[in-house]
Amino acid sequence: MFVYADNAATTQMSAAAKEALCAGMEQAWANASSLHTPGQKAREQLEAARAQIASCIGASPREIYFTSGGSEADTQALFSLARAGARKGKRHLISTTFEHHAVLHALEALEKEGYSVTLLDVHETGVVTPEQVAAAIREDTALVSVMYVNNEIGTVQPIREIGAVCREKGVPFHTDAVQAVGHLPVDVAADNVDLLSLAAHKFHGPKGVGVLYAKAGTPLSNVIYGGAQERSRRPGTENLPAILGMAAALREACDSLPENTARWTQMRDRLISGLSAIPHSRLNGDPVRRAPGIVNFCFEGIEGESLLLLLDAKGIAASSGSACTSGSLDPSHVLLALGLPHEVAHGSLRLSFGAANTMDEVDYILETVPGIVSYLREISPVWEALETGRQPHRI
Amino acid sequence: MLYSETVMDHFQHPRNVGKLDDADGIGEVGNAKCGDIMKMYLKIRDGIIVDVKFNTFGCGSAIASSSMATEMIKGKPVSEALALSNKAVVEALGGLPAHKLHCSVLAEEAVRAAVKDYYDKNGIAYDPAEFCNGDCACCHEHDVQQN
């Protein structure tokens, strides 16, 4: 059996997305800025895609800016709000410790320019509260940025309530919703967000294309300079085939959201209950406030990369936040943000669902993981130390 | 692929994995905080390593490096085991990615730590400077270069 359970990393394009993308390459290849007939037809398709994407997230079409993906959208959102704040003497930025690196590294870059950054604690549960945000906001706060769904552990943040706090205090609010759009009902108006980032490849659309939603009146600065595309805020000839693929994928994801949510929730809960039966295992993140498609566990005494390789040999594609898979010295900053010790964070496993996953696949995962965990524990000196009492169990 | 066929073979079918209850020398190196610990058990008769086993907590290359190192020293005189270099382990594995070279250093150090333990237990004199004191770069850093 082959099980692709790494949909939070990326998804396979859906048939509808591929069809729309290919049709775009064949029929809508003209430059949407050209005055001739093929150019104007491309323009019509571009605007139709914009309207369709806007309707899926409760936005108006003129609030949708096409980007190269989530990282660009995050970068532009943060730099725009920071610059706008600085013009009014506001140089304080608020975010959380477990954001995606697209946000954290953009904030680091802004910090080097003289902004001050407050990163809110996400607690053991992986959830930040509106009260924390309210307490952190100062007179000189230029922005608040909190991710909608954490990409590693799947916890859902109280975006609507945080947005309400920001509105009340008059601070612009950005959310990185890359893991949320297409997986949860997202409505920019009801959620009180001013800026939102999304990426097509997380909901069965193509890679290299995304959206920055900017509420009308939100000042945007350029990250890229050039022509008048996207109201001059995101110059560069639009990647229309990819945009058409994204629109088709999002339409499909939004239409099947109730059905997928019900199915994924059942699958997720069976997976969580099955993996919890492994001794000294731990579900990472709040057990209730979580996206239907992401499950993250730590297994004490083993290391994540070897677990992934053995799962791969059994046909299961997953991911881990271990240092060895991140290519750096430290394990995942998200798991460390939850307060997990390094040695526990090394033994993490993330399984994430997409449209094609089935309950049979969950059962196969549950048949496979416990044996691999026991085998790796058998050969682990760390497990030996834990079991002989030389070191205390942490989970 | 990240790893060579030999690395994958030694990772998926590690040689000499396990423990020796009556080991003459046991060496443990690494740091769980950094994500890898190796424990090496040696059985020594008349200066020859007659049996060797290992336990490893770590990534694929850490397990493969331990496995390869045990194969390279089994049946060999202690003096040859001490001469085992991380470079030789890497070569025998058909190469390791640059950011995984520290795993081969750990394997070399685990063998040396086990020999040192054997010397200590049997009152055999040695120069302490020749051995890892458990606090060298390989126990703390992941950026050890191939040397």
Side-chain angles (χ1 to χ4, degrees):
Chain A
M1 193 179 225
F2 172 70
V3 181
Y4 183 76
D6 198 17
N7 288 278
T10 196
T11 57
Q12 187 180 17
M13 275 176 72
S14 68
K18 276 187 263 187
E19 200 180 306
L21 187 141
C22 291
M25 289 194 291
E26 286 180 11
Q27 294 152 27
W29 48 265
N31 191 322
S33 301
S34 297
L35 202 58
H36 46 61
T37 304
Q40 290 308 299
K41 283 193 170 159
R43 164 67 55 189
E44 279 168 27
Q45 293 213 39
L46 178 69
E47 295 313 322
R50 194 187 308 278
Q52 191 167 74
I53 288 167
S55 74
C56 286
I57 60 168
S60 102
R62 53 191 297 273
E63 297 171 317
I64 300 295
Y65 296 82
F66 293 118
T67 69
S68 65
S71 295
E72 187 193 327
D74 283 340
T75 303
Q76 188 166 11
L78 296 174
F79 274 78
S80 295
L81 295 181
R83 300 264 187 267
R87 287 194 289 272
K88 298 178 196 160
K90 298 183 175 189
R91 296 183 150 262
H92 176 233
L93 319 174
I94 298 174
S95 189
T96 77
T97 51
F98 75 162
E99 295 295 311
H100 190 276
H101 284 128
V103 166
L104 288 179
H105 290 169
L107 290 173
E108 277 173 27
L110 287 163
E111 208 166 18
K112 283 184 189 147
E113 292 185 11
Y115 290 85
S116 73
V117 176
T118 299
L119 295 181
L120 301 175
D121 179 26
V122 296
H123 313 104
E124 200 196 345
T125 54
V127 179
V128 66
T129 66
E131 292 76 21
Q132 280 176 280
V133 175
I137 290 176
R138 312 189 312 214
E139 282 294 307
D140 64 338
T141 300
L143 71 88
V144 171
S145 177
V146 176
M147 70 198 318
Y148 211 117
V149 170
N150 181 272
N151 53 312
E152 286 189 39
I153 58 173
T155 49
V156 181
Q157 306 306 306
I159 292 302
R160 194 163 292 189
E161 294 78 6
I162 292 172
V165 165
C166 293
R167 283 277 152 87
E168 191 195 320
K169 306 242 183 190
V171 178
F173 178 42
H174 165 253
T175 184
D176 170 355
V178 165
Q179 296 287 349
V181 172
H183 297 261
L184 291 175
V186 171
D187 184 305
V188 289
D191 290 340
N192 302 315
V193 303
D194 298 306
L195 291 168
L196 174 147
S197 313
L198 68 88
H201 75 108
K202 305 293 190 186
F203 48 78
H204 301 284
K207 289 161 219 351
V209 65
V211 161
L212 173 61
Y213 155 82
K215 184 176 159 61
T218 310
L220 285 188
S221 312
N222 284 45
V223 170
I224 291 172
Y225 294 91
Q229 293 88 356
E230 302 300 296
R231 295 173 293 291
S232 301
R233 293 303 173 215
R234 205 297 186 174
T237 300
E238 302 86 352
N239 184 357
L240 185 52
I243 289 168
L244 296 174
M246 168 164 63
L250 187 55
R251 174 83 274 147
E252 198 176 30
C254 290
D255 288 347
S256 47
L257 190 59
E259 184 239 327
N260 276 343
T261 303
R263 211 165 49 82
W264 286 334
T265 304
Q266 278 192 337
M267 287 161 52
R268 177 198 70 188
D269 292 347
R270 173 148 11 166
L271 193 55
I272 289 174
S273 123
L275 293 177
S276 300
I278 296 174
H280 302 288
S281 65
R282 175 193 200 273
L283 171 70
N284 292 313
D286 192 280
V288 181
R289 288 200 65 94
R290 50 190 316 118
I294 300 178
V295 171
N296 190 307
F297 263 78
C298 279
F299 304 105
E300 205 178 15
I302 66 169
E303 193 281 327
E305 190 208 87
S306 44
L307 174 60
L308 288 193
L309 291 170
L310 291 175
L311 283 172
D312 186 55
K314 298 273 188 188
I316 297 170
S319 69
S320 168
S322 86
C324 284
T325 55
S326 73
S328 75
L329 183 66
D330 288 322
S332 140
H333 71 286
V334 174
L335 299 176
L336 295 181
L338 301 183
L340 290 181
H342 277 64
E343 49 271 42
V344 172
H346 282 302
S348 75
L349 172 68
R350 179 185 69 180
L351 298 155
S352 47
F353 302 134
N357 291 112
T358 64
M359 196 59 103
D360 283 350
E361 293 178 346
V362 170
D363 289 339
Y364 179 66
I365 292 170
L366 289 176
E367 281 163 28
T368 311
V369 172
I372 294 176
V373 170
S374 328
Y375 163 70
L376 287 172
R377 282 175 171 175
E378 251 171 60
I379 69 167
S380 162
V382 173
W383 183 249
E384 184 197 1
L386 293 166
E387 285 295 277
T388 53
R390 279 190 289 121
Q391 275 174 34
H393 280 287
R394 306 295 288 268
I395 55 175
Chain B
M1 290 298 284
L2 176 64
Y3 293 131
S4 72
E5 266 182 43
T6 314
V7 172
M8 284 309 288
D9 178 39
H10 275 263
F11 165 65
Q12 291 187 312
H13 312 285
R15 279 57 143 183
N16 305 307
V17 69
K19 296 173 215 167
L20 290 175
D21 290 334
D22 57 346
D24 298 304
I26 301 174
E28 184 173 316
V29 296
N31 183 335
K33 202 182 165 201
C34 298
D36 29 38
I37 288 192
M38 282 179 201
K39 195 166 181 180
M40 199 73 76
Y41 300 79
L42 301 179
K43 188 82 199 146
I44 296 170
R45 282 289 166 273
D46 304 324
I48 304 288
I49 296 170
V50 293
D51 202 0
V52 50
K53 298 275 185 205
F54 80 91
N55 266 196
T56 290
F57 161 87
C59 58
S61 62
I63 291 172
S65 296
S66 323
S67 167
M68 182 56 86
T70 60
E71 277 214 318
M72 293 171 83
I73 62 167
K74 195 169 178 176
K76 300 283 168 58
V78 171
S79 57
E80 270 190 47
L82 281 178
L84 178 76
S85 71
N86 83 295
K87 197 177 169 189
V89 174
V90 173
E91 275 168 13
L93 285 170
L96 280 178
H99 66 289
K100 299 284 188 180
L101 288 173
H102 71 275
C103 294
S104 65
V105 178
L106 272 184
E108 175 192 321
E109 294 297 345
V111 171
R112 297 174 67 80
V115 170
K116 180 174 176 287
D117 183 55
Y118 163 71
Y119 285 168
D120 286 340
K121 282 176 176 159
N122 291 276
I124 300 170
Y126 59 88
D127 177 2
E130 281 185 29
F131 292 93
C132 171
N133 60 6
D135 195 33
C136 57
C138 72
C139 302
H140 297 292
E141 304 292 339
H142 271 203
D143 56 357
V144 177
Q145 296 303 305
Q146 191 164 359
N147 48 27

